[in-house]
Amino acid sequence: MGIFDKLRNEFIDIIEWTDPSADTIVWKFPRYQNEIKMNAKLTVRESQVAVFMNEGKIADVFQPGMYTLTTQNMPILTTLQGWKYGFNSPFKADVFFISMRQFTNQKWGTKNPVMLRDVEFGPVRLRAFGSYAFRVNDATTFLKEVAATNPEYTVDGINEQLRNLAVSRGMDAIAEAKIPVLDLAAKYDEVSQLITDKIRPEFNELGLDLTKFLIENISLPPEVEEALDKRSSMGIVGNLGAYAQFQAANAMEKAAANPSGGLAAAGLGAGMGAAMMGQVGNVFQNNQVNQQQPAAGPGMPPPLPGTEPFYVAVEGKQAGPYNMDQLKQLAASGGLQSQTLVWKTGMAAWAAASTVPELAPVLATVPPPLP
């Protein structure tokens, strides 16, 4: 700083911060050798706090308003400086302005998918992102714990840490809530509140307050979403036989509206519809024959107990069916354990292997772990 800067600062007796930025949290008032005149004017605007620091120690804190700096309104600094009787010459002190306004639209999101266990789908990987807002609620704590003596501290200086807190604690809150994946979209508000309650104390430790936490999207991996789309399409189609009839009726209606096609086209449409219905029926019949044991009919005995094949959940995917001998081999290789989910015809839902009595002999063949 040159001689003219020094002289200019000697005559300046107004201390204020007109914040032109949108992301500055802390700003240090510049002054040659930190010298401030006694009786200088201090202006603290709304959404600001001014903190005086003497030799690395926080002294007086000024709320919004206009002040004439004297020993009377700087009691802590007066004590630290040892002014027993008034003081009119310049004194040294660092003056930090802290913005107390909200910093909105701060983004958070998972860098990589997070593994969770879902009630319906088993292990799933989720991605999530959203936004949050925060403000400084304790200026002195924020100075001590975060900003320290930096002459200027912006949102970028702490955003990475806050984002990591949001993702880590947020996904932990989602896992603890045990909300099914398909129900998460309908519960964004509830989940956002759970995450806010979980991470707000950690913001408070830094002198900050989490004022808003929003979830914009929680998504599954593309391949899982594609499988869900197919499942939804099947649910929308519903009765495939009725769907085939509907298609055939549409074909006949279009043929009737087309004079050049005439009844021949209508007959062709009806024939195609009938053929489609027959093919659909054959497909489902063959599928049931391949996946299930034949039901008892005239002249046929019912299946023996324990001969119904089981399906096994392996790494989140359905495998099988397996008969008892195959299940024993699977158990011996470690692919079937007591907590493994299994299902067979007649069961209402997937269940752990240890809860199915028929599989007790299979699990009993697995030796215990070595001591």
Side-chain angles (χ1 to χ4, degrees):
M1 179 176 288
I3 185 64
F4 292 105
D5 293 326
K6 179 180 183 300
L7 292 174
R8 182 167 58 251
N9 282 325
E10 287 295 331
F11 288 101
I12 294 175
D13 61 355
I14 297 176
I15 302 173
E16 62 179 354
W17 179 33
T18 54
D19 183 11
S21 71
D23 62 348
T24 304
I25 306 177
V26 178
W27 181 78
K28 180 182 178 182
F29 182 75
R31 178 56 61 88
Y32 179 74
Q33 293 186 349
N34 298 329
E35 289 188 350
I36 299 173
K37 290 182 179 181
M38 191 61 69
N39 297 316
K41 300 294 183 182
L42 170 67
T43 301
V44 183
R45 289 171 169 79
E46 290 291 344
S47 75
Q48 294 180 356
V49 167
V51 177
F52 279 61
M53 186 176 293
N54 174 252
E55 297 181 355
K57 295 181 181 180
I58 292 177
D60 299 286
V61 178
F62 292 85
Q63 300 298 325
M66 181 175 287
Y67 305 87
T68 299
L69 299 180
T70 64
T71 56
Q72 283 75 26
N73 58 20
M74 295 187 295
I76 299 178
L77 187 60
T78 300
T79 302
L80 293 174
Q81 293 281 6
W83 298 328
K84 298 180 181 180
Y85 313 100
F87 194 72
N88 295 319
S89 62
F91 60 93
K92 291 186 177 182
D94 295 316
V95 182
F96 292 90
F97 285 89
I98 294 90
S99 176
M100 306 296 286
R101 70 178 183 85
Q102 284 197 70
F103 295 92
T104 60
N105 200 32
Q106 306 301 311
K107 302 299 184 181
W108 67 270
T110 54
K111 295 180 181 178
N112 298 300
V114 179
M115 183 71 73
L116 296 176
R117 184 178 297 277
D118 184 67
V119 176
E120 184 172 357
F121 299 113
V124 295
R125 292 180 295 131
L126 294 181
R127 288 184 179 273
F129 64 86
S131 61
Y132 66 95
F134 72 93
R135 64 154 54 100
V136 176
N137 69 348
D138 189 329
T140 57
T141 299
F142 185 78
L143 274 179
K144 291 177 182 177
E145 300 295 334
V146 181
T149 57
N150 289 323
E152 186 170 341
Y153 196 88
T154 64
V155 171
D156 289 340
I158 196 171
N159 238 346
E160 185 68 21
Q161 181 178 353
L162 299 184
R163 278 197 295 265
N164 291 338
L165 276 176
V167 172
S168 177
R169 304 295 187 266
M171 299 308 291
D172 187 50
I174 292 175
E176 290 179 357
K178 297 183 179 179
I179 299 174
V181 169
L182 296 182
D183 295 335
L184 281 174
K187 296 183 179 294
Y188 278 179
D189 287 344
E190 292 86 343
V191 176
S192 296
Q193 188 59 49
L194 285 174
I195 297 174
T196 300
D197 295 340
K198 191 173 185 66
I199 66 179
R200 177 171 281 156
E202 298 196 47
F203 274 59
N204 295 155
E205 292 175 2
L206 302 176
L208 302 174
D209 183 28
L210 178 64
T211 57
K212 187 74 68 177
F213 188 92
L214 299 175
I215 298 175
E216 297 178 24
N217 181 263
I218 297 177
S219 60
L220 293 162
E223 58 272 15
V224 179
E225 291 183 347
E226 183 179 351
L228 282 176
D229 290 340
K230 292 180 180 179
R231 178 175 173 180
S232 300
S233 299
M234 293 176 61
I236 292 174
V237 169
N239 188 322
L240 290 182
Y243 179 71
Q245 292 178 350
F246 174 73
Q247 292 289 81
N250 280 342
M252 294 176 66
E253 182 179 356
K254 291 179 180 178
N258 184 5
S260 62
L263 294 175
L268 178 61
M272 291 176 63
M276 185 184 296
M277 292 172 59
Q279 290 176 359
V280 170
N282 289 337
V283 168
F284 275 89
Q285 182 177 3
N286 293 337
N287 189 46
Q288 290 175 353
V289 169
N290 292 335
Q291 295 189 7
Q292 301 179 5
Q293 294 292 331
M300 295 179 60
L304 294 172
T307 60
E308 285 282 347
F310 279 86
Y311 292 87
V312 179
V314 179
E315 296 182 354
K317 297 181 180 179
Q318 172 183 311
Y322 299 109
N323 58 31
M324 286 298 174
D325 292 336
Q326 293 171 326
L327 289 174
K328 290 180 180 178
Q329 296 176 4
L330 191 63
S333 65
L336 175 64
Q337 301 178 5
S338 59
Q339 71 273 20
T340 304
L341 297 177
V342 298
W343 180 87
K344 72 169 186 175
T345 304
M347 291 177 61
W350 290 77
S354 59
T355 64
V356 181
E358 297 176 44
L359 297 181
V362 175
L363 298 175
T365 62
V366 181
L370 293 172

